[in-house]
Every structure is written in structure tokens, then in C-alpha cells.
Amino acid sequence: MSRADTKERILDAAERLFGAEGFHNTSLRGLTSAAGVNLAAVNYHFGSKEALLEAVFERRLVPLNRVRRERLEAVREAARRDRVLPGAADVLRAFIEPTLHFCKMEPGAESFLPLVGRALAEPDDTIRKIFLRHMEPLFLLLYETLCEALPRLSRTQIFWRLHFTIGAMGHTMCMNGRFKILPPGVETPSDAAFLTQVLLDYIVAGMEAPCA
Amino acid sequence: MSRADTKERILDAAERLFGAEGFHNTSLRGLTSAAGVNLAAVNYHFGSKEALLEAVFERRLVPLNRVRRERLEAVREAARRDRVLPGAADVLRAFIEPTLHFCKMEPGAESFLPLVGRALAEPDDTIRKIFLRHMEPLFLLLYETLCEALPRLSRTQIFWRLHFTIGAMGHTMCMNGRFKILPPGVETPSDAAFLTQVLLDYIVAGMEAPCA
DNA sequence: GTCTATAGATTGATAGAC
DNA sequence: GTCTATCAATCTATAGAC
């Protein structure tokens, strides 16, 4: 290695560019040039462009999902101990808070959010699969925990509502700092803690809504 | 023209492929081959790949947005006449119902939904701009109408909640019939009327939620 | 590990015959 | 309007010198 770890430099640039310009719209030439490394370095260190994408997801999602899983399990355990149902607000906060916290603490990780938001809407199955391989078990745990928290609702209802929730989160991550125009009267671009609270107010109410 | 309007055949194939595989991941060769027309036809009829995307959006969004605008104005007008505030549920239904109705009536238009959902998450500014040029005035009308309907909330709160709502809708459109695996106990893949109601229950509750 | 040079395939777009 | 043939640019990936 010459400068501060070539592999990390590539991962950082890939995370940013794949999220900001899209996977297929990012060339290895532009990527290696932005990272300040040689064109051949991607294939030397990762094997292919697709394997690089996989490494980008893995670097963030493995530690992040461990924290989210722990917090979800903690909510379940606390409810079991107190012999009450888990609260939908606690469940959803356990999933969401680590996401924004993680991406604020890890330097450079804030550009990971748009990539995740984008992966959720990705039509290319190859890319979706790489992302979902990491997320699917956790989505399933979240889903089952919400079913415990909301026994009044059918599993089908909860499935769709979780789907809407993921869409709301994903879209918010996509737009992370990308708003061009704000309607008059809208002040704050995005304070993480404020945004988390506004999002939680919304999705908790949506999840707990009565059926028409 | 030789067979049933070449231009329409290209538009149909583009709508489907841009939504299913992404704009940058769709080649003109694959597109014209799927449409059963000659490779050069795209550039002859539309000028460029990007101009074709613009035409795809225009064909659907111009008539659809006219209906959505009329229904939004009707809700406002009815509220003004009765000297009451417009109801958030009526406002949101006025926006959502025409979307699904339109795409069920117009033959082939159901493949337009994934394209719209995808455009919302699109990182490429060129593509986003084409889409938003048609949507932005309508989003603004929807936003202002929601501000009338929910005077208890700040404009900032409503802005973000509308943002979540659009995310939930967009993600649902993206996934239109693309679910690979459903958790056990989830029955219905997607009946349009049922899905609209489940979505409305969710977003109306989210919009009207109290602030923490 | 890093670099240059390049292979090999694919892309959007166009010129010109019909 | 439709077609074939092709250009010029770009892409991912790799071989081989250092």
C-alpha cells in the first residue's frame, strides 16, 4: 500500500458514488480517479465491480445490523420479563435510532444512507439481492416483533404497513441533503435527532392506525 | 409506419424496461429488440435515449396529473363551500386514487408505476429533473392543501410527513408485483382496492399524528 | 501492490441505401 | 419511415513490467 490504505479509499469512494450516481452510472475510471488510486486497483483488491459493491454493503451492514438486532432483542426481552406486549414505538425506535447514530459516528458513513435508500428501490435484481442478503433476516425479525406488538392487526396488514415504513425511511435516506427547493415556511434542512422524532411520530401512528 | 404505430411500441417497451431494469441499465438495442422495431427508430422518432424517457413520462403524467389536480381542487372547493377545513383523508385520497385507477384502466400502464417509484429514488439529477418537472407543481398543491387541512401542525412538520408519504407510495409502486418471498401468514399479493385502503389508513394516521 | 497498456465487448448515435 | 452498417466513445477486466 502507498497512501492511507488503498482498499479503504476505494470503499469510501464507492460508497459515495454508488449512492450519489447509481451503481450502473458509476464507472471504475471515475471511481478510482475520485479515490486517487489506480484503475486496476479495484480488480486487484475486490475482483470485480460487483464484488466491490458487496464489500461496501458488508463493511457497514454487518456491524450496524448486529446493533439493531441486539436492540430489537432487548425490547422483546424487556417485554417478556414485564409480561407485557412490546410497544410499537420502542420496536421501531430500536431499528431506526442505530441507523442514524451509526452514520453520524463512523466518519464518512453519512454517505452510506443514500446508497441504502437507493438499494431499496433498485430494479436490478443482482444489486437488490446483495443488499437483501444482509437485510432480510433483520426485516423478518422486525416484522415478527411488530406482529407481537400489534396483535389487533392481521399479519397481512402489518406486512404492508412495515412495507410503507421501509419506503418512508428509504426515501428519507435517499434525499439525505439533496433537497433543491423547499416550500416557503419550511425551515430546517435536517437535524438528525429532530428528523428521527418526526419520522417516529409518523410511522408509529401509521403502524398503530385503526383499520377502516 | 409498418405495424401498430412504431412510436407507441417504443414508448411501451421503454416504460416497462426503464422501470424494470433502470434507465442506465437498459440499452437501446435491448429496448428496440423488445419493441420489435429497428435500432435506429428511437433516434429517428425521439432524437435520443434521454428524450425518449421524457416522452415516456409525458404520455402518462400529463393526463394523470390533470385528473389529480382536478380532484384536489374539488376537495378544496367543497371545503370552502361548506366553510370547513378539508379533511386530510379526502386530500390524500384525491391524490392516490387516480394513480391506481389510471394505471388499471389504460392498457399497459401498470408498468408505469415501478418507473415512477424508481424515479423518486433516482440519484441521477438529469432523470430526477425530467420527472420532477411534471410533479413539482402538483406536489406543491398537495402540500399547500395539506397545510390547510392540518392547521395544528407546523409547515415543517407537514413537509416531512408528506415526504414520508411520498416515500411510502413510491416504494409500493416500485415493488408492484416484485415480491419474491412473503412472510408466513401474509396472504394477498396485491388487490388494488385493498392496497389503496391499507395505504390510506397508514398515511392518514401518520399525517394526523400528534407531535411528541 | 502499483502501474501502463490494451484487449474485448458494448454503448448511443448517425450516415446513407431503399 | 425503415433498414444495414458502422463510427467513436466508453466500459470492465486483465496481462505483464516494475
Side-chain angles (χ1 to χ4, degrees):
Chain A
M1 55 191 154
S2 57
R3 289 145 307 197
D5 211 7
T6 297
K7 227 170 156 176
E8 291 291 318
R9 294 169 66 89
I10 293 174
L11 285 170
D12 290 341
E15 183 169 77
R16 186 168 57 82
L17 289 173
F18 288 165
E21 321 212 343
F23 179 75
H24 289 111
N25 201 27
T26 301
S27 70
L28 290 184
R29 279 175 171 75
L31 198 157
T32 49
S33 155
V37 303
N38 188 270
L39 168 61
V42 166
N43 279 281
Y44 175 79
H45 285 285
F46 298 95
S48 72
K49 187 185 178 184
E50 205 170 291
L52 168 59
L53 177 66
E54 201 154 354
V56 169
F57 278 128
E58 184 163 345
R59 175 172 69 152
R60 303 293 184 199
L61 288 182
V62 167
L64 175 55
N65 281 355
R66 181 167 43 235
V67 174
R68 291 198 273 212
R69 177 172 290 274
E70 283 166 4
R71 287 203 44 180
L72 276 176
E73 298 287 11
V75 170
R76 286 164 77 102
E77 184 53 37
R80 213 176 300 135
R81 192 192 52 221
D82 299 346
R83 298 181 184 281
V84 295
L85 294 176
D90 292 333
V91 174
L92 291 166
R93 191 181 298 109
F95 189 84
I96 291 174
E97 269 184 357
T99 311
L100 296 165
H101 185 259
F102 218 78
C103 291
K104 266 203 315 189
M105 301 309 291
E106 296 270 328
E110 73 281 350
S111 57
F112 183 60
L113 289 183
L115 177 59
V116 169
R118 179 154 183 66
L120 283 165
E122 179 62 51
D124 186 335
D125 265 351
T126 315
I127 299 179
R128 270 184 63 80
K129 267 180 194 158
I130 293 174
F131 174 69
L132 287 180
R133 194 183 312 143
H134 287 98
M135 293 308 300
E136 206 130 0
L138 197 62
F139 280 150
L140 213 58
L141 175 63
L142 177 60
Y143 172 67
E144 293 298 339
T145 310
L146 283 170
C147 287
E148 291 178 23
L150 301 164
R152 192 175 46 79
L153 297 174
S154 73
R155 289 176 70 85
T156 301
Q157 285 274 353
I158 294 175
F159 172 78
W160 284 108
R161 290 181 180 192
L162 175 54
H163 179 74
F164 304 146
T165 299
I166 290 171
M169 287 179 58
H171 192 230
T172 304
M173 295 190 210
C174 267
M175 295 294 97
N176 195 16
R178 300 179 80 246
F179 286 108
K180 294 287 156 56
I181 51 159
L182 293 179
V186 175
E187 306 137 14
T188 164
S190 68
D191 163 36
F194 168 78
L195 193 53
T196 307
Q197 192 53 55
V198 179
L199 179 60
L200 270 173
D201 289 346
Y202 181 93
I203 63 180
V204 169
M207 272 290 172
E208 293 180 334
C211 300
Chain B
M1 53 190 155
S2 57
R3 288 145 308 194
D5 210 6
T6 298
K7 227 170 155 175
E8 290 291 317
R9 294 170 65 89
I10 293 175
L11 284 171
D12 289 341
E15 182 169 77
R16 185 168 57 83
L17 288 173
F18 289 165
E21 321 211 344
F23 179 75
H24 292 294
N25 200 28
T26 300
S27 71
L28 289 183
R29 281 172 174 77
L31 197 158
T32 50
S33 155
V37 303
N38 188 271
L39 168 61
V42 167
N43 279 280
Y44 175 80
H45 285 284
F46 298 95
S48 72
K49 187 185 180 187
E50 204 171 290
L52 169 59
L53 177 66
E54 201 155 355
V56 168
F57 278 127
E58 183 162 347
R59 175 172 68 151
R60 304 291 185 201
L61 288 182
V62 167
L64 174 54
N65 281 355
R66 180 166 44 235
V67 175
R68 292 199 272 212
R69 176 172 291 273
E70 283 166 5
R71 287 204 44 181
L72 275 176
E73 298 286 11
V75 170
R76 288 165 75 103
E77 184 52 38
R80 213 175 300 134
R81 191 191 52 221
D82 300 346
R83 298 180 184 281
V84 295
L85 293 177
D90 293 332
V91 174
L92 291 167
R93 191 181 298 110
F95 188 84
I96 291 175
E97 269 184 357
T99 311
L100 296 166
H101 185 260
F102 219 78
C103 291
K104 265 204 315 190
M105 301 309 292
E106 297 269 328
E110 74 281 351
S111 57
F112 183 59
L113 289 183
L115 177 59
V116 169
R118 179 155 183 63
L120 283 166
E122 181 61 50
D124 186 335
D125 265 351
T126 315
I127 299 180
R128 270 184 62 81
K129 267 180 193 157
I130 293 174
F131 174 69
L132 286 179
R133 194 183 313 142
H134 287 97
M135 292 309 300
E136 205 131 1
L138 197 62
F139 280 149
L140 212 59
L141 175 64
L142 177 59
Y143 172 68
E144 292 298 339
T145 310
L146 284 170
C147 286
E148 291 178 25
L150 301 164
R152 192 176 46 79
L153 296 174
S154 74
R155 289 175 70 86
T156 300
Q157 285 274 353
I158 294 174
F159 171 78
W160 284 109
R161 289 181 180 191
L162 175 55
H163 178 74
F164 304 146
T165 299
I166 291 171
M169 288 179 58
H171 192 229
T172 305
M173 295 190 211
C174 267
M175 296 293 94
N176 195 17
R178 300 179 79 245
F179 286 108
K180 293 288 157 54
I181 51 159
L182 293 179
V186 175
E187 306 136 13
T188 164
S190 69
D191 164 34
F194 168 78
L195 193 53
T196 307
Q197 192 54 55
V198 179
L199 179 61
L200 270 172
D201 288 346
Y202 181 92
I203 64 180
V204 170
M207 270 291 171
E208 293 180 335
C211 301

PDB file of all heavy atoms in Angstrom, chain A residues 166-186:
ATOM      1  N   ILE A 166     -40.741   1.082   5.592  1.00  0.00           N
ATOM      2  CA  ILE A 166     -39.429   0.958   4.954  1.00  0.00           C
ATOM      3  C   ILE A 166     -39.327   1.931   3.783  1.00  0.00           C
ATOM      4  O   ILE A 166     -38.280   2.539   3.552  1.00  0.00           O
ATOM      5  CB  ILE A 166     -39.204  -0.501   4.502  1.00  0.00           C
ATOM      6  CG1 ILE A 166     -39.021  -1.392   5.734  1.00  0.00           C
ATOM      7  CG2 ILE A 166     -37.995  -0.602   3.577  1.00  0.00           C
ATOM      8  CD1 ILE A 166     -39.015  -2.875   5.428  1.00  0.00           C
ATOM      9  N   GLY A 167     -40.426   2.106   3.057  1.00  0.00           N
ATOM     10  CA  GLY A 167     -40.429   3.072   1.967  1.00  0.00           C
ATOM     11  C   GLY A 167     -40.203   4.486   2.451  1.00  0.00           C
ATOM     12  O   GLY A 167     -39.424   5.243   1.862  1.00  0.00           O
ATOM     13  N   ALA A 168     -40.852   4.858   3.538  1.00  0.00           N
ATOM     14  CA  ALA A 168     -40.683   6.206   4.094  1.00  0.00           C
ATOM     15  C   ALA A 168     -39.240   6.413   4.548  1.00  0.00           C
ATOM     16  O   ALA A 168     -38.638   7.460   4.283  1.00  0.00           O
ATOM     17  CB  ALA A 168     -41.650   6.414   5.258  1.00  0.00           C
ATOM     18  N   MET A 169     -38.679   5.409   5.216  1.00  0.00           N
ATOM     19  CA  MET A 169     -37.288   5.507   5.665  1.00  0.00           C
ATOM     20  C   MET A 169     -36.339   5.577   4.482  1.00  0.00           C
ATOM     21  O   MET A 169     -35.422   6.402   4.447  1.00  0.00           O
ATOM     22  CB  MET A 169     -36.933   4.298   6.524  1.00  0.00           C
ATOM     23  CG  MET A 169     -37.550   4.295   7.897  1.00  0.00           C
ATOM     24  SD  MET A 169     -37.067   2.800   8.806  1.00  0.00           S
ATOM     25  CE  MET A 169     -35.276   2.935   8.780  1.00  0.00           C
ATOM     26  N   GLY A 170     -36.550   4.709   3.529  1.00  0.00           N
ATOM     27  CA  GLY A 170     -35.662   4.650   2.373  1.00  0.00           C
ATOM     28  C   GLY A 170     -35.651   5.949   1.595  1.00  0.00           C
ATOM     29  O   GLY A 170     -34.589   6.448   1.211  1.00  0.00           O
ATOM     30  N   HIS A 171     -36.828   6.505   1.394  1.00  0.00           N
ATOM     31  CA  HIS A 171     -36.906   7.758   0.653  1.00  0.00           C
ATOM     32  C   HIS A 171     -36.204   8.877   1.406  1.00  0.00           C
ATOM     33  O   HIS A 171     -35.531   9.720   0.814  1.00  0.00           O
ATOM     34  CB  HIS A 171     -38.371   8.113   0.415  1.00  0.00           C
ATOM     35  CG  HIS A 171     -38.572   9.224  -0.565  1.00  0.00           C
ATOM     36  ND1 HIS A 171     -39.367  10.300  -0.300  1.00  0.00           N
ATOM     37  CD2 HIS A 171     -38.054   9.427  -1.803  1.00  0.00           C
ATOM     38  CE1 HIS A 171     -39.334  11.117  -1.340  1.00  0.00           C
ATOM     39  NE2 HIS A 171     -38.564  10.620  -2.257  1.00  0.00           N
ATOM     40  N   THR A 172     -36.345   8.870   2.724  1.00  0.00           N
ATOM     41  CA  THR A 172     -35.675   9.880   3.541  1.00  0.00           C
ATOM     42  C   THR A 172     -34.156   9.733   3.436  1.00  0.00           C
ATOM     43  O   THR A 172     -33.434  10.729   3.325  1.00  0.00           O
ATOM     44  CB  THR A 172     -36.118   9.742   5.001  1.00  0.00           C
ATOM     45  OG1 THR A 172     -37.548   9.823   5.053  1.00  0.00           O
ATOM     46  CG2 THR A 172     -35.516  10.837   5.859  1.00  0.00           C
ATOM     47  N   MET A 173     -33.686   8.495   3.437  1.00  0.00           N
ATOM     48  CA  MET A 173     -32.239   8.280   3.309  1.00  0.00           C
ATOM     49  C   MET A 173     -31.749   8.728   1.939  1.00  0.00           C
ATOM     50  O   MET A 173     -30.674   9.311   1.820  1.00  0.00           O
ATOM     51  CB  MET A 173     -31.934   6.789   3.489  1.00  0.00           C
ATOM     52  CG  MET A 173     -32.235   6.258   4.871  1.00  0.00           C
ATOM     53  SD  MET A 173     -31.567   4.585   5.053  1.00  0.00           S
ATOM     54  CE  MET A 173     -32.708   3.888   6.216  1.00  0.00           C
ATOM     55  N   CYS A 174     -32.527   8.421   0.905  1.00  0.00           N
ATOM     56  CA  CYS A 174     -32.171   8.834  -0.458  1.00  0.00           C
ATOM     57  C   CYS A 174     -31.946  10.334  -0.558  1.00  0.00           C
ATOM     58  O   CYS A 174     -31.020  10.790  -1.216  1.00  0.00           O
ATOM     59  CB  CYS A 174     -33.283   8.472  -1.427  1.00  0.00           C
ATOM     60  SG  CYS A 174     -33.097   6.885  -2.209  1.00  0.00           S
ATOM     61  N   MET A 175     -32.829  11.065   0.078  1.00  0.00           N
ATOM     62  CA  MET A 175     -32.847  12.513  -0.083  1.00  0.00           C
ATOM     63  C   MET A 175     -31.900  13.222   0.860  1.00  0.00           C
ATOM     64  O   MET A 175     -31.852  14.437   0.874  1.00  0.00           O
ATOM     65  CB  MET A 175     -34.262  13.043   0.136  1.00  0.00           C
ATOM     66  CG  MET A 175     -35.255  12.577  -0.894  1.00  0.00           C
ATOM     67  SD  MET A 175     -34.879  13.229  -2.518  1.00  0.00           S
ATOM     68  CE  MET A 175     -33.974  11.861  -3.233  1.00  0.00           C
ATOM     69  N   ASN A 176     -31.155  12.428   1.629  1.00  0.00           N
ATOM     70  CA  ASN A 176     -30.240  12.967   2.633  1.00  0.00           C
ATOM     71  C   ASN A 176     -29.445  14.165   2.085  1.00  0.00           C
ATOM     72  O   ASN A 176     -28.414  14.004   1.462  1.00  0.00           O
ATOM     73  CB  ASN A 176     -29.278  11.851   3.075  1.00  0.00           C
ATOM     74  CG  ASN A 176     -28.555  12.212   4.365  1.00  0.00           C
ATOM     75  OD1 ASN A 176     -28.969  13.121   5.070  1.00  0.00           O
ATOM     76  ND2 ASN A 176     -27.493  11.479   4.670  1.00  0.00           N
ATOM     77  N   GLY A 177     -29.944  15.359   2.361  1.00  0.00           N
ATOM     78  CA  GLY A 177     -29.241  16.569   1.954  1.00  0.00           C
ATOM     79  C   GLY A 177     -29.322  16.862   0.475  1.00  0.00           C
ATOM     80  O   GLY A 177     -28.475  17.549  -0.069  1.00  0.00           O
ATOM     81  N   ARG A 178     -30.333  16.332  -0.205  1.00  0.00           N
ATOM     82  CA  ARG A 178     -30.416  16.545  -1.648  1.00  0.00           C
ATOM     83  C   ARG A 178     -31.608  17.413  -2.046  1.00  0.00           C
ATOM     84  O   ARG A 178     -31.975  17.472  -3.211  1.00  0.00           O
ATOM     85  CB  ARG A 178     -30.494  15.212  -2.392  1.00  0.00           C
ATOM     86  CG  ARG A 178     -29.296  14.321  -2.160  1.00  0.00           C
ATOM     87  CD  ARG A 178     -29.414  12.997  -2.891  1.00  0.00           C
ATOM     88  NE  ARG A 178     -29.081  13.093  -4.297  1.00  0.00           N
ATOM     89  CZ  ARG A 178     -29.949  12.900  -5.285  1.00  0.00           C
ATOM     90  NH1 ARG A 178     -31.197  12.613  -5.026  1.00  0.00           N
ATOM     91  NH2 ARG A 178     -29.566  12.983  -6.535  1.00  0.00           N
ATOM     92  N   PHE A 179     -32.219  18.076  -1.091  1.00  0.00           N
ATOM     93  CA  PHE A 179     -33.374  18.903  -1.441  1.00  0.00           C
ATOM     94  C   PHE A 179     -32.920  20.170  -2.156  1.00  0.00           C
ATOM     95  O   PHE A 179     -32.094  20.928  -1.659  1.00  0.00           O
ATOM     96  CB  PHE A 179     -34.185  19.272  -0.193  1.00  0.00           C
ATOM     97  CG  PHE A 179     -34.965  18.121   0.336  1.00  0.00           C
ATOM     98  CD1 PHE A 179     -34.590  17.495   1.501  1.00  0.00           C
ATOM     99  CD2 PHE A 179     -36.066  17.643  -0.346  1.00  0.00           C
ATOM    100  CE1 PHE A 179     -35.302  16.419   1.993  1.00  0.00           C
ATOM    101  CE2 PHE A 179     -36.792  16.570   0.130  1.00  0.00           C
ATOM    102  CZ  PHE A 179     -36.408  15.956   1.309  1.00  0.00           C
ATOM    103  N   LYS A 180     -33.472  20.352  -3.333  1.00  0.00           N
ATOM    104  CA  LYS A 180     -33.115  21.531  -4.095  1.00  0.00           C
ATOM    105  C   LYS A 180     -33.938  22.723  -3.632  1.00  0.00           C
ATOM    106  O   LYS A 180     -33.436  23.788  -3.331  1.00  0.00           O
ATOM    107  CB  LYS A 180     -33.360  21.287  -5.594  1.00  0.00           C
ATOM    108  CG  LYS A 180     -32.455  20.242  -6.189  1.00  0.00           C
ATOM    109  CD  LYS A 180     -31.023  20.738  -6.357  1.00  0.00           C
ATOM    110  CE  LYS A 180     -30.022  19.594  -6.397  1.00  0.00           C
ATOM    111  NZ  LYS A 180     -30.335  18.624  -7.445  1.00  0.00           N
ATOM    112  N   ILE A 181     -35.257  22.528  -3.581  1.00  0.00           N
ATOM    113  CA  ILE A 181     -36.129  23.630  -3.220  1.00  0.00           C
ATOM    114  C   ILE A 181     -37.014  23.192  -2.063  1.00  0.00           C
ATOM    115  O   ILE A 181     -37.494  22.072  -2.016  1.00  0.00           O
ATOM    116  CB  ILE A 181     -37.023  24.027  -4.414  1.00  0.00           C
ATOM    117  CG1 ILE A 181     -37.704  22.770  -4.973  1.00  0.00           C
ATOM    118  CG2 ILE A 181     -36.224  24.729  -5.480  1.00  0.00           C
ATOM    119  CD1 ILE A 181     -38.925  23.079  -5.774  1.00  0.00           C
ATOM    120  N   LEU A 182     -37.193  24.079  -1.128  1.00  0.00           N
ATOM    121  CA  LEU A 182     -38.112  23.824  -0.018  1.00  0.00           C
ATOM    122  C   LEU A 182     -39.285  24.787  -0.151  1.00  0.00           C
ATOM    123  O   LEU A 182     -39.106  25.946  -0.515  1.00  0.00           O
ATOM    124  CB  LEU A 182     -37.401  24.039   1.326  1.00  0.00           C
ATOM    125  CG  LEU A 182     -36.297  23.035   1.662  1.00  0.00           C
ATOM    126  CD1 LEU A 182     -35.662  23.369   3.002  1.00  0.00           C
ATOM    127  CD2 LEU A 182     -36.845  21.611   1.675  1.00  0.00           C
ATOM    128  N   PRO A 183     -40.503  24.298   0.129  1.00  0.00           N
ATOM    129  CA  PRO A 183     -41.659  25.192   0.079  1.00  0.00           C
ATOM    130  C   PRO A 183     -41.478  26.320   1.102  1.00  0.00           C
ATOM    131  O   PRO A 183     -40.769  26.148   2.098  1.00  0.00           O
ATOM    132  CB  PRO A 183     -42.828  24.281   0.478  1.00  0.00           C
ATOM    133  CG  PRO A 183     -42.332  22.890   0.322  1.00  0.00           C
ATOM    134  CD  PRO A 183     -40.852  22.931   0.521  1.00  0.00           C
ATOM    135  N   PRO A 184     -42.080  27.472   0.864  1.00  0.00           N
ATOM    136  CA  PRO A 184     -41.961  28.587   1.807  1.00  0.00           C
ATOM    137  C   PRO A 184     -42.472  28.174   3.185  1.00  0.00           C
ATOM    138  O   PRO A 184     -43.476  27.498   3.297  1.00  0.00           O
ATOM    139  CB  PRO A 184     -42.849  29.663   1.183  1.00  0.00           C
ATOM    140  CG  PRO A 184     -43.720  28.955   0.202  1.00  0.00           C
ATOM    141  CD  PRO A 184     -42.942  27.775  -0.266  1.00  0.00           C
ATOM    142  N   GLY A 185     -41.733  28.576   4.213  1.00  0.00           N
ATOM    143  CA  GLY A 185     -42.157  28.270   5.575  1.00  0.00           C
ATOM    144  C   GLY A 185     -41.496  27.038   6.145  1.00  0.00           C
ATOM    145  O   GLY A 185     -41.608  26.773   7.337  1.00  0.00           O
ATOM    146  N   VAL A 186     -40.797  26.276   5.320  1.00  0.00           N
ATOM    147  CA  VAL A 186     -40.084  25.104   5.815  1.00  0.00           C
ATOM    148  C   VAL A 186     -38.662  25.526   6.155  1.00  0.00           C
ATOM    149  O   VAL A 186     -37.928  25.992   5.297  1.00  0.00           O
ATOM    150  CB  VAL A 186     -40.071  23.974   4.771  1.00  0.00           C
ATOM    151  CG1 VAL A 186     -39.235  22.810   5.255  1.00  0.00           C
ATOM    152  CG2 VAL A 186     -41.482  23.520   4.468  1.00  0.00           C
TER     153      VAL A 186
END
